[in-house]
PDB file of all heavy atoms in Angstrom:
ATOM      1  N   PHE A 435      90.709  88.265 114.245  1.00  0.00           N
ATOM      2  CA  PHE A 435      92.108  88.156 113.826  1.00  0.00           C
ATOM      3  C   PHE A 435      92.825  89.457 114.142  1.00  0.00           C
ATOM      4  O   PHE A 435      92.457  90.519 113.614  1.00  0.00           O
ATOM      5  CB  PHE A 435      92.183  87.840 112.332  1.00  0.00           C
ATOM      6  CG  PHE A 435      91.629  86.478 112.011  1.00  0.00           C
ATOM      7  CD1 PHE A 435      90.448  86.340 111.288  1.00  0.00           C
ATOM      8  CD2 PHE A 435      92.275  85.331 112.448  1.00  0.00           C
ATOM      9  CE1 PHE A 435      89.934  85.076 111.015  1.00  0.00           C
ATOM     10  CE2 PHE A 435      91.770  84.061 112.175  1.00  0.00           C
ATOM     11  CZ  PHE A 435      90.586  83.939 111.456  1.00  0.00           C
ATOM     12  N   THR A 436      93.847  89.365 115.013  1.00  0.00           N
ATOM     13  CA  THR A 436      94.525  90.582 115.463  1.00  0.00           C
ATOM     14  C   THR A 436      95.904  90.716 114.824  1.00  0.00           C
ATOM     15  O   THR A 436      96.550  89.728 114.478  1.00  0.00           O
ATOM     16  CB  THR A 436      94.669  90.609 116.995  1.00  0.00           C
ATOM     17  OG1 THR A 436      95.426  89.465 117.408  1.00  0.00           O
ATOM     18  CG2 THR A 436      93.315  90.590 117.672  1.00  0.00           C
ATOM     19  N   THR A 437      96.311  91.999 114.685  1.00  0.00           N
ATOM     20  CA  THR A 437      97.582  92.304 114.023  1.00  0.00           C
ATOM     21  C   THR A 437      98.686  92.646 115.013  1.00  0.00           C
ATOM     22  O   THR A 437      99.844  92.701 114.638  1.00  0.00           O
ATOM     23  CB  THR A 437      97.410  93.517 113.081  1.00  0.00           C
ATOM     24  OG1 THR A 437      96.867  94.604 113.844  1.00  0.00           O
ATOM     25  CG2 THR A 437      96.462  93.192 111.928  1.00  0.00           C
ATOM     26  N   SER A 438      98.330  92.922 116.265  1.00  0.00           N
ATOM     27  CA  SER A 438      99.349  93.292 117.252  1.00  0.00           C
ATOM     28  C   SER A 438      98.899  92.843 118.636  1.00  0.00           C
ATOM     29  O   SER A 438      97.697  92.712 118.906  1.00  0.00           O
ATOM     30  CB  SER A 438      99.611  94.804 117.211  1.00  0.00           C
ATOM     31  OG  SER A 438      98.418  95.492 117.428  1.00  0.00           O
ATOM     32  N   PRO A 439      99.873  92.592 119.528  1.00  0.00           N
ATOM     33  CA  PRO A 439      99.526  91.970 120.815  1.00  0.00           C
ATOM     34  C   PRO A 439      98.534  92.774 121.660  1.00  0.00           C
ATOM     35  O   PRO A 439      97.696  92.189 122.344  1.00  0.00           O
ATOM     36  CB  PRO A 439     100.888  91.863 121.521  1.00  0.00           C
ATOM     37  CG  PRO A 439     101.902  91.865 120.410  1.00  0.00           C
ATOM     38  CD  PRO A 439     101.323  92.732 119.333  1.00  0.00           C
ATOM     39  N   GLU A 440      98.597  94.109 121.637  1.00  0.00           N
ATOM     40  CA  GLU A 440      97.723  94.877 122.539  1.00  0.00           C
ATOM     41  C   GLU A 440      96.250  94.778 122.125  1.00  0.00           C
ATOM     42  O   GLU A 440      95.358  95.047 122.933  1.00  0.00           O
ATOM     43  CB  GLU A 440      98.188  96.339 122.662  1.00  0.00           C
ATOM     44  CG  GLU A 440      97.666  97.304 121.619  1.00  0.00           C
ATOM     45  CD  GLU A 440      98.318  97.136 120.250  1.00  0.00           C
ATOM     46  OE1 GLU A 440      99.296  96.369 120.142  1.00  0.00           O
ATOM     47  OE2 GLU A 440      97.847  97.770 119.285  1.00  0.00           O
ATOM     48  N   ALA A 441      96.004  94.357 120.878  1.00  0.00           N
ATOM     49  CA  ALA A 441      94.615  94.229 120.423  1.00  0.00           C
ATOM     50  C   ALA A 441      93.869  93.187 121.271  1.00  0.00           C
ATOM     51  O   ALA A 441      92.680  93.354 121.579  1.00  0.00           O
ATOM     52  CB  ALA A 441      94.580  93.842 118.952  1.00  0.00           C
ATOM     53  N   ARG A 442      94.579  92.131 121.654  1.00  0.00           N
ATOM     54  CA  ARG A 442      93.956  91.086 122.482  1.00  0.00           C
ATOM     55  C   ARG A 442      93.494  91.685 123.814  1.00  0.00           C
ATOM     56  O   ARG A 442      92.377  91.414 124.278  1.00  0.00           O
ATOM     57  CB  ARG A 442      94.976  89.970 122.703  1.00  0.00           C
ATOM     58  CG  ARG A 442      94.530  88.883 123.631  1.00  0.00           C
ATOM     59  CD  ARG A 442      95.620  87.801 123.733  1.00  0.00           C
ATOM     60  NE  ARG A 442      95.318  86.874 124.798  1.00  0.00           N
ATOM     61  CZ  ARG A 442      95.598  87.085 126.072  1.00  0.00           C
ATOM     62  NH1 ARG A 442      96.199  88.205 126.451  1.00  0.00           N
ATOM     63  NH2 ARG A 442      95.275  86.188 126.991  1.00  0.00           N
ATOM     64  N   ASP A 443      94.353  92.483 124.441  1.00  0.00           N
ATOM     65  CA  ASP A 443      93.998  93.093 125.731  1.00  0.00           C
ATOM     66  C   ASP A 443      92.780  94.004 125.567  1.00  0.00           C
ATOM     67  O   ASP A 443      91.884  94.014 126.408  1.00  0.00           O
ATOM     68  CB  ASP A 443      95.173  93.910 126.289  1.00  0.00           C
ATOM     69  CG  ASP A 443      96.437  93.072 126.388  1.00  0.00           C
ATOM     70  OD1 ASP A 443      96.304  91.842 126.592  1.00  0.00           O
ATOM     71  OD2 ASP A 443      97.543  93.626 126.241  1.00  0.00           O
ATOM     72  N   ASN A 444      92.762  94.754 124.471  1.00  0.00           N
ATOM     73  CA  ASN A 444      91.607  95.642 124.233  1.00  0.00           C
ATOM     74  C   ASN A 444      90.326  94.826 124.132  1.00  0.00           C
ATOM     75  O   ASN A 444      89.286  95.202 124.670  1.00  0.00           O
ATOM     76  CB  ASN A 444      91.799  96.431 122.934  1.00  0.00           C
ATOM     77  CG  ASN A 444      92.965  97.411 123.009  1.00  0.00           C
ATOM     78  OD1 ASN A 444      93.374  97.814 124.094  1.00  0.00           O
ATOM     79  ND2 ASN A 444      93.496  97.789 121.846  1.00  0.00           N
ATOM     80  N   LEU A 445      90.406  93.698 123.421  1.00  0.00           N
ATOM     81  CA  LEU A 445      89.210  92.869 123.218  1.00  0.00           C
ATOM     82  C   LEU A 445      88.776  92.219 124.526  1.00  0.00           C
ATOM     83  O   LEU A 445      87.574  92.187 124.847  1.00  0.00           O
ATOM     84  CB  LEU A 445      89.496  91.799 122.159  1.00  0.00           C
ATOM     85  CG  LEU A 445      89.691  92.334 120.737  1.00  0.00           C
ATOM     86  CD1 LEU A 445      90.237  91.239 119.813  1.00  0.00           C
ATOM     87  CD2 LEU A 445      88.373  92.892 120.188  1.00  0.00           C
ATOM     88  N   LEU A 446      89.726  91.696 125.293  1.00  0.00           N
ATOM     89  CA  LEU A 446      89.365  91.028 126.555  1.00  0.00           C
ATOM     90  C   LEU A 446      88.711  92.030 127.503  1.00  0.00           C
ATOM     91  O   LEU A 446      87.734  91.712 128.189  1.00  0.00           O
ATOM     92  CB  LEU A 446      90.611  90.410 127.198  1.00  0.00           C
ATOM     93  CG  LEU A 446      91.231  89.231 126.428  1.00  0.00           C
ATOM     94  CD1 LEU A 446      92.487  88.724 127.135  1.00  0.00           C
ATOM     95  CD2 LEU A 446      90.224  88.088 126.248  1.00  0.00           C
ATOM     96  N   ARG A 447      89.237  93.248 127.505  1.00  0.00           N
ATOM     97  CA  ARG A 447      88.669  94.296 128.360  1.00  0.00           C
ATOM     98  C   ARG A 447      87.219  94.574 127.998  1.00  0.00           C
ATOM     99  O   ARG A 447      86.405  94.958 128.828  1.00  0.00           O
ATOM    100  CB  ARG A 447      89.512  95.572 128.208  1.00  0.00           C
ATOM    101  CG  ARG A 447      89.524  96.437 129.449  1.00  0.00           C
ATOM    102  CD  ARG A 447      90.419  97.671 129.282  1.00  0.00           C
ATOM    103  NE  ARG A 447      91.746  97.382 128.802  1.00  0.00           N
ATOM    104  CZ  ARG A 447      92.230  97.797 127.619  1.00  0.00           C
ATOM    105  NH1 ARG A 447      91.479  98.496 126.794  1.00  0.00           N
ATOM    106  NH2 ARG A 447      93.458  97.495 127.271  1.00  0.00           N
ATOM    107  N   GLU A 448      86.875  94.393 126.724  1.00  0.00           N
ATOM    108  CA  GLU A 448      85.500  94.649 126.268  1.00  0.00           C
ATOM    109  C   GLU A 448      84.621  93.398 126.360  1.00  0.00           C
ATOM    110  O   GLU A 448      83.501  93.388 125.863  1.00  0.00           O
ATOM    111  CB  GLU A 448      85.529  95.183 124.825  1.00  0.00           C
ATOM    112  CG  GLU A 448      86.107  96.583 124.746  1.00  0.00           C
ATOM    113  CD  GLU A 448      86.326  97.087 123.316  1.00  0.00           C
ATOM    114  OE1 GLU A 448      85.810  96.469 122.372  1.00  0.00           O
ATOM    115  OE2 GLU A 448      87.030  98.090 123.164  1.00  0.00           O
TER     116      GLU A 448
END
Side-chain angles (χ1 to χ4, degrees):
F435 294 112
T436 59
T437 55
S438 57
E440 87 286 352
R442 175 178 170 277
D443 305 330
N444 294 338
L445 292 169
L446 293 178
R447 210 178 309 115
E448 290 172 13

